[in-house]
Amino acid sequence: MYANKLGRLLSGLRGWRVAAVCGGIRSGSSWTAVCKQRRRSACPRTQNLTVHRRASVRSASQTTVDPDELRRFQSLASKWWDEQGEFAALHAMNDLRVPFIRDNLLNVHTGHHPGKPLAGLKILDIGCGGGLLTEPLGRLGADVLGIDPVEESISTAQLHSSKDPELRSRVCYRACSLEELSSVEVGGEEEEEEEEERQRAGQFDAVVASEVVEHLANPETFAFCCSHVLKPGGSLFITTINKTKLSYALAIVAAEQLFRIVPSGTHEWEKFISPVELERMLESNGFSVQSVQGMLYNPLSGAWSWTESTAINYALHAVRLRDDPPTA
Amino acid sequence: MHKVKKATMALNGLGRCFVAGKNVSVIKIVSRALVTVEPGEDPGNNGVYDVIISGGGMVGSAMACSLGMEPNLSGKKILLLEAGHKKVMDKVPDSYSTRVSSISPGSATLLSSIGAWDQITKMRCKPYKKMQVWDACSDALITFDKDNLQDEMAYIVENDIVVAALTKQMDSLPDNIQVKYRSKVVKYTWPMPHQAADSIPWVQVGLASGETVQTKLLIGADGSNSMVRRALGIPTVKWNYDQSAVVAVLHLSEPTENNVAWQRFLPTGPIAMLPLSDTESSLVWSTSHQLAEELLEMDEESFVDAINSAFWSNENQSEMIETAGSLFRSALSAIMPSAGSPRQLPPSVAGIGPKSRVKFPLGMGHASEYTRHRVALIGDAAHRVHPLAGQGVNLGFGDVACLTQLLSQAAFNGKDLGAIQHLLEYETERQRHNLPMMSAIDLMKRLYSTNAAPAVLLRTFGLQATNMLPSLKEQIMAFASK
C-alpha cells in the first residue's frame, strides 16, 4: 500500500507526453531506464527557434512517440476522475495547490467577490490532464483554459466538466502544446500569425504548470513561452520534483525500479530540476520568484502537507516582471 | 430522452429493490419511475442545484439558513423541500404549543449566527438557570446550575416558534435559498461514484408533483424515519424503548419565578416539567405505553393529580434504600463537606392547557454511516435519542454547525460540494461527539428503568457523588452545552 501510494505520488502521470510541452524532443524512440545511458535531447537551448527547426522537431516527436506509452496513457485516460485510483495522489494534491494558487492570487488581486474569490481572472493550466486542477480553479470563479497535448485526456476533461452547468461556462480545454498556444514560432512570411500572436500574447493573469516541468526536455523554452502568455505582473505557479539523492531514491528507485509501480523510465532523474536552478532559469526570462515551499506526501494517509524541506516535491510562485522602461 | 430517463430510473429502482432486499413490489417501483418524469417538466441544464435539503423541520431549516448565509457559499443554489405547508407566525398565539425543546447555549449561538435567535427571543422563549434531577426510589438528587444563578443554562422554546423564526429568516434570503412547500419526495436516484459516459452524475430527487430536481449534494434532514437513509440502505442500529412520551402544557397553581427545570426518575420513566412562563410549564412524561394510554384518557383532574403525585410522593422508597442513601450522603459529606444541595420541590400543577395532550413512542436510533457519495444525513435522520436529557435537537444543530463549516471550507478550496472527502470528515467529527452522548443517554434510561435494589443503590451513590463534585458537573454541563 505504501509503495502503491508512493508510486502514484511520483508516477509519470504526464510522463508519456513524450511530445514534451515546449517542443524539446528526444531523438531516441522510447524512454530508457535511468541506469542506462541517456541520450541528451537534440533540442538546442537557445531561445530563438525557427519555424523549420520547430516543425521538424515536432514532426519528429510525432513519430518518436512510443506507441506503448500512448496506449498506456489512453487506457488511463478514463481513470483521471477515480479519486481512489491511479491518480489519487494528484487529487489529494489539490488540498495544497488550490489554496496556494488562490491565496497568492488574492494577495495581488484584492477585489472582493464572496463565493467566487478568483472571479475575473484568466488562468492557463498547462498539462491539465483530466482537469483535476482546472475544475477547482473554475469553481473559484476564474476563467480557465486547460491545455494538454494528449487528446484523450482533453476529451475526458471536457466530458467531466460538461455535466456541470457552473463549469461549462468557465472552463474550456484545448488539445495543444504551450508553444502552439503562444505562437512563438512566427515565420517571417506569415503576417496574420504575427498579428494573432500579438493579440494572443500576455492574456493570462496566471499560468499553472503543476507536475509538468519534470517532463520537459527544454525548460528554458517553457519559461520563455510562459512569460509570453502572461500579463505583466502575472503569476506563474509550478509544482515539480527536486533533483536530489532523496528524490532519486524515492521517485526513481523505489517507485519505478523496486516496486514497479510506475513504468520504468517514466521519470528521468536528469530532468528533475532543483529550486535554485528553476529560479535562475525563471529570472533570466523576466520572472521574479516570490516563494518556494516544500511539499510532502504521506503514503499512509494519502495526504499532502507543506514542509520546510524542498528535497522531494516543491511548489514555486513567480511573478512576471513588468516591462518598465529602462531608467536613464 | 424522457424514455431513456424513465427506463434508467425504473432499472435503478429495480436494482435497488434486489440489492437492498426491500419488500417493495416491482410494480410499484416501475410505476413510480413512470410517474416521476413527465415531458415538458424537464428541468433543463440549469436545473442542477448545489444543495438540496430534504426536510424542513427545525434542523433542516437551520441547515438551509446556515448555508444561505455563509459567505463562501454565496452564489450557490440551495433548495429546501418540505412536505408540509409553510409555517408563518405573524402573531404569537396566546396558548403555548405542547411540543417544546431545550435549546442549549451552543445551539443558541448557531441560531444567533444565522439571525434566527433574535426572532425567537422576540417571539417567545424561556431561559432557565437551574436543573434539578432526582430519583423516586431514593433521596439522591443532582442539581445543575451556572455559578450563582447568573447565567442561563439553556432555553425552553416551542418547536413551532423555532421553525417560524427560521422560515422568516429564509424569506429574507430569496436569492440564495429556494423553498418548495407541500413537496413530498417520492423517489431518490443515486449517482454512480465513477462517471460513466452517459450517466447523470448528480442525485435526482423525484417529487410527488412529477417534477425532478437534481443536486450535487443531498442533505437528508427528514427525521427519525428518514426516507433518504432508508433509500440508501444505510444500516441503522435502532430499537424501541417500551415507552411513550406524553406532552402537555401545565398551568401552575400559583405564579412563581419559574426558572428551574425539574426531572424526576420514576420506575416507569422520567417525568419532566420545563418552564414556559411564570404561570405555565411544559410536561414531558416518558412512561410505559399502557400508562401513557391511561393518562391520555383520564379527565383533567385525575391527570393533574397524577402529575402532582408523580413529583411529590415518596411511595417508591423503601427503608433500606433510605438508610443506604443517608449513609452515602454522610460518607460523602465527610470527604467533601461543602458540596451538596437541599432538595427542592417543583411547583404544583392546577390545570392543563387548552391544546390536547399528545403522546408519541420513544426509541433510539443511530445510522452507522452519516454520509455517502453526494449525500449527508443530519439531525434525527442520523441519530434519535430519548428526551430525558433534552439533547435531541441540540445534536442536530451541532450537525448543522459542523457541516456548514466543512462545506464552506470545501467551497473555498474549489471542491465539488458532494465530494466524499469532506463529508467523511463531517461524519467522523459528529460521530465522535454524538456516540458518547447517545450511549450516556441510553445508559441513563436503562439504569433508571428498574426498581431493583442493586441498580437503585448504584445510581443513588453515583448521583450523590456526582452532585458533590462541582468540577464533574461543570464537565457534564459543558459537554451538553455544545
Side-chain angles (χ1 to χ4, degrees):
Chain A
M1 187 193 68
Y2 173 98
N4 218 351
K5 294 210 170 164
L6 194 57
R8 284 190 214 137
L9 131 78
L10 304 161
S11 73
L13 303 159
R14 292 165 172 85
W16 35 81
R17 253 186 293 111
V18 177
V21 172
C22 235
I25 280 311
R26 304 182 58 73
S27 49
S29 57
S30 61
W31 294 102
T32 58
V34 165
C35 298
K36 300 199 183 108
Q37 172 208 356
R38 239 164 272 116
R39 277 165 270 171
R40 283 247 157 227
S41 160
C43 181
R45 289 181 176 271
T46 60
Q47 295 201 4
N48 301 318
L49 294 160
T50 66
V51 180
H52 310 294
R53 171 66 75 118
R54 186 62 64 96
S56 67
V57 154
R58 212 180 356 195
S59 55
S61 84
Q62 308 287 12
T63 56
T64 55
V65 168
D66 189 344
D68 284 336
E69 297 277 0
L70 205 55
R71 220 178 301 126
R72 207 178 298 137
F73 192 62
Q74 277 165 357
S75 73
L76 280 174
S78 58
K79 306 236 175 97
W80 278 107
W81 286 99
D82 180 0
E83 287 178 36
Q84 267 80 48
E86 273 84 355
F87 300 118
L90 273 190
H91 279 277
M93 203 196 277
N94 276 346
D95 290 341
L96 288 193
R97 43 188 189 171
V98 174
F100 183 65
I101 297 169
R102 174 198 75 211
D103 293 340
N104 281 309
L105 286 176
L106 284 178
N107 279 341
V108 177
H109 305 266
T110 46
H112 179 63
H113 303 272
K116 305 252 173 291
L118 301 182
L121 297 181
K122 293 179 63 177
I123 303 184
L124 173 67
D125 184 4
I126 304 176
C128 61
L132 266 61
L133 181 52
T134 328
E135 286 197 7
L137 294 175
R139 279 195 206 99
L140 289 177
D143 290 304
V144 196
L145 171 66
I147 63 172
D148 199 287
V150 179
E151 289 203 23
E152 287 82 2
S153 302
I154 294 290
S155 309
T156 305
Q158 273 168 334
L159 180 66
H160 194 265
S161 69
S162 67
K163 304 280 174 82
D164 188 344
E166 190 192 353
L167 290 178
R168 239 179 274 150
S169 55
R170 270 198 235 113
V171 165
C172 55
Y173 294 99
R174 211 189 296 182
C176 68
S177 63
L178 178 60
E179 80 274 12
E180 279 168 26
L181 188 73
S182 66
S183 301
V184 176
E185 71 277 21
V186 173
E189 60 269 21
E190 315 216 13
E191 286 178 0
E192 290 163 12
E193 271 196 32
E194 211 173 318
E195 190 54 53
E196 275 176 24
E197 186 236 313
R198 241 181 268 124
Q199 282 174 8
R200 264 186 260 177
Q203 55 174 312
F204 292 103
D205 295 288
V207 168
V208 175
S210 181
E211 307 304 300
V212 161
V213 167
E214 68 265 25
H215 297 289
L216 302 175
N218 195 348
E220 286 275 2
T221 322
F222 167 80
F224 176 73
C225 294
C226 283
S227 92
H228 196 247
V229 296
L230 264 177
K231 286 182 186 163
S235 290
L236 172 65
F237 298 98
I238 293 178
T239 75
T240 186
I241 309 180
N242 198 349
K243 189 176 181 179
T244 61
K245 292 198 181 73
L246 192 59
S247 71
Y248 179 78
L250 293 179
I252 308 294
V253 177
E256 293 188 17
Q257 311 239 303
L258 282 179
F259 300 105
R260 298 196 184 277
I261 304 301
V262 178
S264 202
T266 301
H267 272 125
E268 283 206 27
W269 188 75
E270 285 298 316
K271 285 194 175 168
F272 289 173
I273 185 164
S274 72
V276 171
E277 173 70 19
L278 186 57
E279 194 167 336
R280 180 205 64 74
M281 196 177 302
L282 289 174
E283 283 180 358
S284 69
N285 276 288
F287 283 97
S288 155
V289 173
Q290 303 292 302
S291 66
V292 180
Q293 191 73 20
M295 311 193 312
L296 185 64
Y297 182 66
N298 179 348
L300 298 173
S301 66
W304 289 85
S305 53
W306 292 115
T307 181
E308 287 290 323
S309 153
T310 56
I312 320 172
N313 293 73
Y314 63 95
L316 179 146
H317 171 221
V319 167
R320 184 191 166 199
L321 296 168
R322 296 179 187 276
D323 313 317
D324 292 327
T327 50
Chain B
M1 170 56 183
H2 297 292
K3 287 213 176 73
V4 172
K5 251 197 194 166
K6 286 182 203 173
T8 335
M9 289 167 92
L11 282 171
N12 268 336
L14 279 172
R16 272 214 316 284
C17 172
F18 292 130
V19 165
K22 292 202 281 277
N23 292 333
V24 185
S25 80
V26 169
I27 300 173
K28 250 203 242 173
I29 291 174
V30 171
S31 63
R32 266 191 205 165
L34 291 172
V35 153
T36 38
V37 181
E38 280 170 24
E41 288 197 298
D42 197 323
N45 59 7
N46 281 329
V48 181
Y49 288 92
D50 290 287
V51 183
I52 288 184
I53 301 162
S54 184
M58 288 191 280
V59 176
S61 306
M63 186 84 226
C65 280
S66 187
L67 293 178
M69 294 185 62
E70 180 57 43
N72 285 336
L73 295 170
S74 60
K76 301 278 184 223
K77 292 158 64 173
I78 301 165
L79 172 66
L80 175 65
L81 293 173
E82 165 57 30
H85 56 269
K86 185 169 178 178
K87 292 191 174 62
V88 184
M89 203 184 268
D90 296 316
K91 193 177 88 72
V92 178
D94 291 327
S95 57
Y96 285 86
S97 63
T98 48
R99 299 300 303 267
V100 305
S101 299
S102 169
I103 306 287
S104 70
S107 302
T109 308
L110 168 74
L111 290 169
S112 161
S113 74
I114 61 182
W117 190 244
D118 283 338
Q119 310 273 10
I120 291 173
T121 44
K122 259 189 261 170
M123 287 197 244
R124 193 156 61 195
C125 98
K126 182 76 175 121
Y128 62 94
K129 298 189 177 169
K130 188 170 148 191
M131 183 194 289
Q132 176 174 300
V133 179
W134 73 112
D135 201 338
C137 299
S138 76
D139 272 350
L141 74 84
I142 185 168
T143 57
F144 293 100
D145 50 48
K146 295 261 176 87
D147 329 293
N148 299 326
L149 299 179
Q150 293 284 19
D151 296 326
E152 284 110 17
M153 262 189 73
Y155 309 84
I156 302 294
V157 188
E158 292 148 86
N159 295 357
D160 287 342
I161 291 199
V162 177
V163 176
L166 289 166
T167 304
K168 213 163 171 182
Q169 191 61 12
M170 283 194 285
D171 284 342
S172 71
L173 301 165
D175 299 327
N176 304 7
I177 310 174
Q178 191 189 346
V179 189
K180 282 196 210 275
Y181 291 99
R182 308 197 69 77
S183 305
K184 190 159 152 48
V185 176
V186 294
K187 185 178 163 75
Y188 292 103
T189 308
W190 311 115
M192 303 296 292
H194 300 309
Q195 189 187 358
D198 290 327
S199 68
I200 299 179
W202 318 123
V203 177
Q204 293 170 77
V205 182
L207 303 176
S209 60
E211 201 186 335
T212 302
V213 281
Q214 305 184 343
T215 180
K216 298 178 188 172
L217 173 65
L218 174 73
I219 297 183
D222 43 355
S224 52
N225 197 24
S226 163
M227 184 183 166
V228 175
R229 190 190 68 224
R230 283 182 289 125
L232 281 169
I234 292 182
T236 308
V237 175
K238 61 180 173 185
W239 49 76
N240 288 321
Y241 292 128
D242 50 358
Q243 287 184 351
S244 291
V246 174
V247 289
V249 174
L250 308 173
H251 293 305
L252 305 178
S253 309
E254 27 182 64
T256 168
E257 197 190 342
N258 200 4
N259 55 10
V260 182
W262 311 93
Q263 177 152 288
R264 191 179 201 196
F265 281 103
L266 307 173
T268 48
I271 178 171
M273 192 191 297
L274 307 169
L276 289 173
S277 73
D278 287 345
T279 52
E280 288 177 66
S281 288
S282 170
L283 172 80
V284 183
W285 191 347
S286 315
T287 185
S288 63
H289 295 305
Q290 169 143 24
L291 190 53
E293 279 285 346
E294 287 171 24
L295 285 170
L296 245 52
E297 280 157 20
M298 277 180 202
D299 58 273
E300 185 174 321
E301 217 180 295
S302 321
F303 185 62
V304 167
D305 285 340
I307 296 174
N308 282 325
S309 101
F311 275 117
W312 290 49
S313 87
N314 284 330
E315 62 191 12
N316 281 312
Q317 292 185 17
S318 68
E319 263 201 50
M320 179 194 68
I321 301 286
E322 265 192 62
T323 329
S326 44
L327 262 175
F328 287 148
R329 221 193 343 268
S330 28
L332 285 168
S333 52
I335 308 171
M336 295 213 57
S338 56
S341 32
R343 175 154 74 143
Q344 293 185 307
L345 282 170
S348 68
V349 180
I352 59 176
K355 295 211 175 89
S356 56
R357 317 157 222 173
V358 190
K359 79 170 169 76
F360 50 91
L362 299 177
M364 201 288 284
H366 188 255
S368 56
E369 298 164 49
Y370 289 5
T371 61
R372 284 277 172 91
H373 182 58
R374 297 203 183 282
V375 187
L377 297 175
I378 59 174
D380 278 6
H383 40 73
R384 179 190 181 200
V385 294
H386 195 285
L388 66 84
Q391 289 303 312
V393 79
N394 295 310
L395 293 179
F397 285 136
D399 294 345
V400 168
C402 176
L403 187 54
T404 303
Q405 200 247 329
L406 285 169
L407 288 178
S408 165
Q409 194 57 37
F412 194 51
N413 286 342
K415 288 206 181 139
D416 180 349
L417 287 184
I420 196 74
Q421 183 190 358
H422 51 266
L423 294 181
L424 282 175
E425 267 185 63
Y426 155 73
E427 178 183 282
T428 309
E429 190 177 321
R430 288 312 294 170
Q431 285 193 339
R432 277 198 195 141
H433 177 267
N434 294 342
L435 278 169
M437 174 72 81
M438 296 176 69
S439 317
I441 295 175
D442 193 63
L443 180 64
M444 292 268 284
K445 190 263 167 201
R446 288 174 195 284
L447 191 58
Y448 278 94
S449 291
T450 169
N451 252 350
V456 175
L457 285 172
L458 173 68
R459 70 200 196 205
T460 302
F461 185 62
L463 207 58
Q464 284 178 341
T466 312
N467 197 29
M468 299 202 167
L469 294 169
S471 54
L472 181 55
K473 284 205 281 189
E474 266 165 47
Q475 294 268 1
I476 296 174
M477 281 205 293
F479 186 58
S481 298
K482 273 192 246 171

